């Protein structure tokens, strides 16, 4: 369940994942059925079908990735 815009969405779809090591990203994507994988998070942000970005990265990367997502009007959350 994803909360968005004051309401709840009962289904969400993972459309892409990024990992700086492409082979690790591909293994993760295959495990979870994610159709697209990149070795640069900016390629995920460039996708028109991305609405929310979930940042599973070290704390020092939160600010630059959140800033890039915000510039493209994507919501983001941190882990």
């Amino acid at each position: 369940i994803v909360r968005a815009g004051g309401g709840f969405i009962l289904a969400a779809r993972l459309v892409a994942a990024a990992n700086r090591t492409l082979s690790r990203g591909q293994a993760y994507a295959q495990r979870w059925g994610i159709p697209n994988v990149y070795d640069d998070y900016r390629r995920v942000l460039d996708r028109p079908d991305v609405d929310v970005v979930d940042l599973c990265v070290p704390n020092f990367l939160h600010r630059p990735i959140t800033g890039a997502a915000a510039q493209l009007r994507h919501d983001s959350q941190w882990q």
Side-chain angles (χ1 to χ4, degrees):
I1 298 174
V2 178
R3 184 180 170 116
F8 288 94
I9 300 171
L10 297 178
R13 184 171 50 101
L14 293 172
V15 295
N19 190 306
R20 63 183 177 191
T21 305
L22 187 58
S23 61
R24 290 182 67 191
Q26 290 168 332
Y28 179 85
Q30 183 176 6
R31 179 178 179 187
W32 297 105
I34 302 168
N36 303 284
V37 64
Y38 304 100
D39 60 0
D40 186 332
Y41 72 88
R42 291 170 288 209
R43 295 200 49 213
V44 174
L45 298 179
D46 287 340
R47 294 179 57 94
D49 57 348
V50 171
D51 297 317
V52 175
V53 179
D54 187 11
L55 304 176
C56 303
V57 297
N59 289 346
F60 73 93
L61 292 174
H62 286 179
R63 185 174 184 165
I65 297 175
T66 299
Q71 285 182 338
L72 295 170
R73 300 189 184 276
H74 296 303
D75 289 328
S76 55
Q77 65 178 14
W78 310 275
Q79 302 264 343

